[in-house]
Amino acid sequence: MLRWILGGREAQGAVERNTVLFIGEEQPKNSYTELQVLKGHFDMVRFLVQIDDFRFASAGDDGLVLVWNAQTGERLQELRGHSQQITAMTAYSWITGDTDHTGLITASSDRTLSLWDPETGNRVQTVSDLQSSAKCLLVLSRLDLWISGGNELCVWDRDFHLLCKTDHHSDAGITAMVELPKNCIAAAMDKEIVIYRLSASSSRLDTLVREVRRLTDHQDSIRALISVNDQAFASGSHVGELIVWDSLDWSILTYERILWEEPRPEGQAEIHLSSQKQSEMCVQHLATDGECVVAAVGSGLYLYNVSRRGVVAYRKAAHDSNILHTMLLPDGQLLSCSEDGSVRMWELQDLPLPAEPAPTGFFGMWTFGRPSKQASLQAKKVPEVSGLRTLELTGDLIGHSGAVQMFVYFVDLGLVTCSTDQLIIVWKSGERESRFRSLALFHKLEDSQGL
Amino acid sequence: MIGSPDLVAFTKDDDFGETDVDPCLLPDEFSVPLFTHAGNSNPWSKTSYAKFARDFILISEFSEQVGPQPLLTIPDESKVCGTFDLNYFSLRIMSVDYQASFVGHPPGCNYPKLNFVEDSKVVLGDSKEGAFAYVHHLTLYDLEARGFVRPFCMAYISADESKIMQQFQQLSTEFSKASEWLKTGNRKAFASELVKKLKDLEYTRTVLHKETELQKKNSGCYSTQVIDKANELANVEKSIYEHKDLLRQITSYPSRKRIDCEFPQESDDPATSAEMDKKATPTECSPEVSPEAITGKRRPSYTPQLIKGKSAKCFDKRLKTLEELCDSYFFHQTMEQLRLIESAFRGDLCHIYTNQISQALLKKQKITNFLYEVYNDWEDEAVSKPSFAGNLPPPTPLLLGAPQSPEAVHADLDAETSVEKPQEAELTESSPSDLTQENSDEGTDAEMKVSSGSSGESVDAAGPERPERHSEAEAVPQAFCPDVVEGNAAGTVDDGEDNDERVSATDSPSPEHNRASYQSAIHEQEPSVKVDGDMGGDEPKSPGLTQDLDLTGDSVLQASTMVQADASCCMGQEKLQYEEPSPELAENGFPDRVVKREPQSCLQGDLTLGKAVTAEDSPAVPNALNSDGLSDDMFRMNLDDLSDATSFMSASTNSDRLSSPCHYSNPVTLKQKKRAGQNALRFIRQYPFSQQAIFCVLTGRTLVVLGADERTVRKLVNALSIFVPNLGKYGETVQPWLSCPFQLTDLQNWKIIGLHRMASPTGSSMLHSLNRYARYIGVLDADQKTLRCPPYRGSLIGNMANHRTQIKRGSTYFMHVQCMLTQLYSKAFLYTFCHHLHLPISLSEDQETVASRRSSFLHQQLGYNEEDSKMIQFLSELIKQSYLQGPGRMVHPPGFCFSYIPSFVHKI
């Protein structure tokens, strides 16, 4: 509770600090004209996981996992069992016979891992007394295995048999994992990315996990790690480094250093790193649509095209406070949510033709080609200013009174956001809802045969 | 709705035809002598020449001792009847009997036979007295009366003949309900009287039997005494037989009655009745259960008396009063119903007519009337009245006993487990159930409705056992001590089962019971005491009973089970549900209880609500009605729950959120709304931007009235509240005064918020929330007289809120608004239910075609502009939601619609 209060204050302070961008009340492109507040949690809600087309699960610091119907707002299940906050949650799908099953795997600070059936609300499997609590979970659906990452990396099968695990790592532990081709896994551990290889043999129990490589190019702890596509994965660090790696040989494809400040002479970069503005350029979150990577850097957004190796668009002050989660929608839309309690919707637009050149001094960047990877730091201007587009704010969603931690996007139903103010809000298109209701109304009318 | 009674008075039948009246002539009305003003009498009262001031209800009896006599009138004021001769009128109305009831020994039958006659309903006029009456005759049973019957009648007396004639149907229906209450209570009382009498007779028989044996031994078989005794014994035997037969008849009543079942739950009645008398009556014998009870020895709750061979058939005996003839609960219900009738039919026929017509019309438009009607007017009609009728014999003994009168509980407990007596006495004393009763009539009401079915059934289960028990009892007459006799009788049959049933009978209703009280408690917003208190009613039983069951087995419960057996045997024999009752139910009862005792938080609230809902499924019979009856409470509770949660939340953000936001204690009445009309009139005259404010309200955009002065703010909120669609029964969508920042969820629940402007940190955070949620609200600043909200350029509200209006009176203005809103809502209804406006007609059509059709309907056909269409659309969504959800239920958290339109500041 205390934390939440602090969180609230913080967000509030942020709002007061500077209102960078204000779209006003007229938002013709914003179709979210209906909202539904879902209550149920008693502490911050940190995680949302989509289960299927209409259900999602939420979890947070109260140790509760709630399953909701996004369409009606009904609380379907209440999964109780964890005594402490949930640290990670993921959906786990498998197929037996013809039927699809989806379970939820949760990890908690009480050092347990549980598998839940969201249909019945039963705790199907559970493991307790782990050596450390898991901080991240990764499902390898191809192998029908899943991996928990904490101070060590453990490989489990669906029945919660521990197949193998690595040695105890540093205290930092694994904070993020992605799956790579050829049964490899990249795990972010403080400043390093460790590549593991799973040697799955015929019998499950012989599965081994082996460390293959350590990538030590990041200068500060890694905050985000995602897989972009089959060829590449990306990682972002606390000091604004964005590295795109080759998934096969784990070499650096691009190294970007995002600084929202004026570019400085080389020597001063280091000084800048230790300044108190660090959090402003920390890569909080990465998201991708397979081609572009969007990085939430401080309170700014940075869109990078992986295949073209170039910046597509950026906005330094996209929010009033740190951005916590972002998402790229297929039609050139971008969603971001932030500690300032709002969700903003962006549209990628071409710069107007008589474009004043992009304010290159606006942010600084070092770009490293692969060949020059080992070269000493060398500042470069943004190479292709011409391709630069802009992120236009098309709407914002205001409702939460605390930091918006995360959101889940349902194509048909709308957007679900969760926040430190203990609430979950479902944002819907009023028009579509109205249509659904009309449909339901006429169905009911037909069923009851007239009024 | 606008009624016409006021108008009718000013129009005459022939006013319309003649247009060519000479203007020079003195108009007719001036030549009419002025009405002599006399106190409170109204000029249209037709009672002016009658000897009584207004209509009243009279209950009379044809006493076998003194003939027709008036018993009581409703209202019970002497000035009502004035100089009207009640005695004479009683004679008149009682002389038109009618029911031709025959009780006694019909030819070909050895035993007296009870006739269950239908009530007769007649209209009587007495032009000399200027009185006309609807007369409802009924017969009640009385063991001591001649032929076991006592004829009564209830009469509605009015000076207006046409009122009686034209309202005959309604009067008949309503009086039938009253009569049904009365007769049900009477059957119950009669059955219990019979049971008592039977016990006396059996005791007498045992004694006689003993004596005969003794005398046979002493003086041989053929002595005169012995023969006398034998004759006496035979008489008693016959009497027993007759009484048993009567008991059978009275208890088999429902099965017959049910055929023409106006009251579906009649079947439970006997069970309840016997249960009832057992529970309700033992008060008088509780003193007998004295210290020896502590030793664990059981005594019967009723000590049988020896019956003299010849009962006194004489006139010196005091006949029972009406109140004694009827079980007290039912008697009160009857009186309540009669009072209801009196108030419902009060006033001029014309007035009643208009009311009835508008009620009937309202019922027809049930889909939209939630939007603007005062709930009392139509929902009560729909909800409470049917349940009132439907649940006719509603109270289970337990529930009646428990919360209503502590003595009853006490007695009840005594009867059941006298071992526990000392503690129980304490418990009852300490139990504040009476307190609850006072505070929350609604709660108890609810629980009465709820539980009639379940316990009735479980008691039924004991029925079929009865005959064996009796034969055994007869077969083994050994001791003088009645305890032992009865004890054995019961003891030979399996007590275990009986006990189980008892447990279930007492416990099964408890979830509902608790729930009901819990709700009421929540409603009162100081739950802890009352929840505990209410538990007092049945809580003590659980330890007592379980202990008994475990420890004492056969021997202990004999006496009481005998009573139980006797009582339950009277009940519905045709209905065997032997397997159904029992321990599970009892078990269910306990955990529930545990949950409810936990301290309340919003989580707990949720839990209990959930439980309550599931619990509702268990008893089968009265649910349809109950759920309706309760939905209100549920609804309210939901709201409270919501608001609780918000206050809990905001308490954590801003610790200075002091006031608990909701007080939905009283339903909004029409009167209040009319009074609000005055404020509204002032508002639209005073503020040129009133239309914009009303537009906000009619598009569902929460309007925040900001001000430093509480009175001003409250007044403004009150003024605007008459425009709020779906104000809610308790006006729960309006928050007249709030002194802490609001949350998003508040905007969802409240459509008008009166906000305290403060110069303090709280104030600034309040402004912050105003700022933050600016897009969802309109802000009416009462101090600076500004309004910040989207613009309104439509025409609809212009008619509703014209600041140059000629209307002078608040209530008239309210009617006017109501009228305009009704128009608007009917448009919204049309819009909602036009299939082609929302769904494609053919497969080839896409959404855009439909959308364009929709907008052309709004703009071209209805002629509305953008803003007016918005109102229609918003109202349409409300209608859809309420239609889909059904009345009063909130299954899912409500949605909250808004739009992204820029706001402007309007100034005076």
Side-chain angles (χ1 to χ4, degrees), chain B residues 91-155:
Chain B
L91 177 66
R92 286 224 44 181
I93 56 179
M94 287 314 287
S95 60
V96 235
D97 206 353
Y98 40 180
Q99 294 185 269
S101 55
F102 176 79
V103 183
H105 297 253
C109 177
N110 290 328
Y111 305 115
K113 192 143 169 52
L114 292 178
N115 258 340
F116 298 106
V117 279
E118 288 301 312
D119 300 349
S120 80
K121 303 151 188 181
V122 289
V123 173
L124 256 178
D126 189 330
S127 47
K128 195 181 88 208
E129 297 271 336
F132 296 89
Y134 164 86
V135 187
H136 193 110
H137 293 280
L138 68 152
T139 29
L140 298 183
Y141 302 108
D142 181 356
L143 202 51
E144 286 146 23
R146 189 174 56 192
F148 304 127
V149 289
R150 305 267 302 268
F152 283 89
C153 92
M154 302 180 286

Side-chain angles (χ1 to χ4, degrees), chain A residues 186-203:
Chain A
M189 244 180 289
D190 197 22
K191 294 179 187 176
E192 297 175 343
I193 295 177
V194 184
I195 309 286
Y196 293 99
R197 175 165 280 146
L198 276 178
S199 52
S201 57
S202 52
S203 106

Side-chain angles (χ1 to χ4, degrees), chain B residues 686-708:
Chain B
Q686 211 173 346
Y687 293 82
F689 47 74
S690 59
Q691 296 189 8
Q692 274 76 14
I694 295 169
F695 173 63
C696 261
V697 171
L698 283 175
T699 45
R701 195 179 176 109
T702 300
L703 190 65
V704 177
V705 182
L706 185 65

Side-chain angles (χ1 to χ4, degrees), chain B residues 10 160 363 424 430 488 579 602 627 752 770 854 856 861:
Chain B
F10 299 105
D160 185 356
K363 259 180 226 158
E424 278 156 18
S430 64
N488 267 4
E579 302 82 26
C602 55
S627 59
I752 304 181
L770 276 179
R854 193 157 49 217
S856 87
Q861 273 171 285

Side-chain angles (χ1 to χ4, degrees), chain A residues 365-407:
Chain A
M365 175 166 29
W366 289 264
T367 304
F368 300 90
R370 207 187 327 182
S372 62
K373 191 179 85 182
Q374 302 304 326
S376 60
L377 294 174
Q378 183 186 350
K380 266 202 218 170
K381 292 286 175 187
V382 180
E384 340 149 65
V385 176
S386 56
L388 210 56
R389 304 169 82 192
T390 122
L391 282 172
E392 277 308 312
L393 183 60
T394 58
D396 60 350
L397 306 177
I398 292 177
H400 285 294
S401 52
V404 182
Q405 290 286 340
M406 197 180 175
F407 56 81

Side-chain angles (χ1 to χ4, degrees), chain B residues 160-269:
Chain B
D160 185 356
E161 184 180 7
S162 55
K163 183 170 172 181
I164 301 282
M165 293 312 285
Q166 290 174 28
Q167 296 297 311
F168 183 82
Q169 255 334 307
Q170 285 84 348
L171 281 168
S172 153
T173 326
E174 296 304 315
F175 271 100
S176 298
K177 283 177 198 163
S179 153
E180 216 43 59
W181 281 111
L182 198 59
K183 288 195 290 186
T184 309
N186 171 247
R187 280 195 297 276
K188 188 166 290 188
F190 187 61
S192 70
E193 202 186 347
L194 274 172
V195 169
K196 221 184 282 176
K197 181 82 180 281
L198 264 175
K199 232 173 282 161
D200 288 347
L201 285 169
E202 269 166 31
Y203 171 64
T204 314
R205 183 183 57 191
T206 330
V207 173
L208 283 175
H209 197 83
K210 277 280 163 202
E211 283 174 4
T212 326
E213 291 294 312
L214 210 71
Q215 283 182 343
K216 265 188 202 166
K217 241 181 247 166
N218 291 345
S219 52
C221 287
Y222 301 104
S223 70
T224 43
Q225 291 106 320
V226 172
I227 289 168
D228 278 354
K229 277 275 181 259
N231 281 340
E232 211 175 315
L233 195 61
N235 270 337
V236 171
E237 294 274 7
K238 182 167 176 254
S239 188
I240 287 178
Y241 217 84
E242 283 175 7
H243 279 85
K244 270 188 199 160
D245 193 61
L246 280 177
L247 190 59
R248 185 191 56 74
Q249 288 181 44
I250 194 85
T251 53
S252 65
Y253 169 78
S255 56
R256 275 196 261 163
K257 172 77 182 182
R258 213 150 33 132
I259 298 161
D260 59 298
C261 142
E262 194 182 336
F263 306 101
Q265 281 131 29
E266 194 72 45
S267 57
D268 300 333
D269 164 41

Side-chain angles (χ1 to χ4, degrees), chain A residues 178-187 193-198 210-218 225 230-235 243-254 370 373-374:
Chain A
V178 289
E179 184 182 3
L180 299 179
K182 297 184 182 168
N183 292 349
C184 287
I185 295 146
I193 295 177
V194 184
I195 309 286
Y196 293 99
R197 175 165 280 146
L198 276 178
R210 192 158 48 82
E211 183 179 324
V212 190
R213 175 89 79 88
R214 271 175 190 258
L215 310 173
T216 55
D217 297 271
H218 274 293
L225 180 67
D230 285 348
Q231 284 92 44
F233 66 97
S235 59
I243 303 183
V244 181
W245 309 84
D246 189 305
S247 296
L248 294 171
D249 57 8
W250 316 307
S251 57
I252 294 183
L253 291 176
T254 343
R370 207 187 327 182
K373 191 179 85 182
Q374 302 304 326

